[in-house]
Structures are given as C-alpha cells and as structure tokens.
Amino acid sequence: MRLYRHLHPADEAPDAGQARVVYDEIMRTPGMRLYVIEDGGGLVATTYLNLVPNLSRGLRPYGVVENVVVDQGRRGTGVGKAVMAGTLRAAWDFGCYKVMLLTGSRRESTHGFYRACGFSGDAKFGFVARPGR
C-alpha cells in the first residue's frame, strides 16, 4: 500500500483490513496477476496484469496492465523496466496477442518510459467512462 501512495498521494489511505480483503481477492481470482520487485526487504516496484479471455484473435487472451508504480527513490534505476519486462513476458507466456495500458500522466518522461518498455502510444485511442458522467 505504501507504493500505491506514490500513484495517488491525495487519495485517502484505505483501511488496512479492507485492503487485505481486496488483496486476497486479487490473489484468488483467475486471470489477475500482481507482480512486484523487492529490494532490501521492501517493495520497490509493482504492476498489475489482467488477463482477459477473448472470442477474437484465434481465442487468444489480451492483457491490461494497471497500477504501474516504482518507488520515487528508485526511479531511473532500471527496476521499472524490469518489472514491466517481467509482466510482458508473463502475458506472452499466457498467450496474449496484445497488452494494453492507460496512463493518466501527462509527463513526457512517463510516456517515454512506456515507449522504452515496448508500448506504442499511437496504436489505438483510449477512452474512459466514470460513474455519474
């Protein structure tokens, strides 16, 4: 949960017990994978891969990556690229024909990071809907 504070520092911290319930659900749910890199006894990077069954593309699944976080003190050291490389390798091993991600960041450094990890920013358009809008 400490790492997720880097993503949205203004969000209210969730109750630890409720966070544990959600974590346990993620770990039990087929098609949901949480990847982390540890260093010195603490987590320094994480990603979340959703494997989505698919009726097109020869029935091959696709992946959606969410919640990519690297500890602020470890950015630029290669751990972000390492966790993304492992996440993509897992998606390819599961037979995914593509992996997608969205970012709310407007920073060119973030976009450059994703391009360096193998993502293309001009392959598709992304749209987001939220409740009540």
Side-chain angles (χ1 to χ4, degrees):
M1 294 312 299
R2 180 190 62 78
L3 273 181
Y4 290 132
R5 301 290 301 152
H6 292 277
L7 262 185
H8 304 288
D11 284 0
E12 183 177 328
D15 172 78
Q18 291 172 326
R20 183 60 194 213
V21 168
V22 172
Y23 171 82
D24 289 344
E25 182 180 352
I26 290 168
M27 299 309 288
R28 283 191 312 270
T29 303
M32 296 184 177
R33 303 290 188 274
L34 180 68
Y35 298 98
V36 300
I37 292 183
E38 273 186 288
D39 189 31
L43 299 181
V44 295
T46 186
T47 63
Y48 184 78
L49 174 65
N50 298 280
L51 299 164
V52 183
N54 186 29
L55 290 172
S56 68
R57 300 293 182 158
L59 305 179
R60 293 173 62 200
Y62 62 91
V64 179
V65 173
E66 285 285 336
N67 297 332
V68 178
V69 190
V70 176
D71 184 274
Q72 288 179 342
R74 297 297 300 271
R75 293 179 184 167
T77 66
V79 296
K81 286 183 183 174
V83 75
M84 286 299 293
T87 302
L88 288 172
R89 188 170 37 257
W92 309 147
D93 288 348
F94 281 110
C96 291
Y97 81 94
K98 71 177 177 184
V99 173
M100 302 180 293
L101 68 80
L102 295 172
T103 180
S105 175
R106 303 281 185 216
R107 293 189 315 230
E108 181 53 37
S109 61
T110 302
H111 301 174
F113 167 75
Y114 289 127
R115 282 191 293 273
C117 291
F119 289 89
S120 171
D122 59 359
K124 293 191 178 241
F125 288 101
F127 295 90
V128 175
R130 297 187 191 273
R133 292 189 185 191

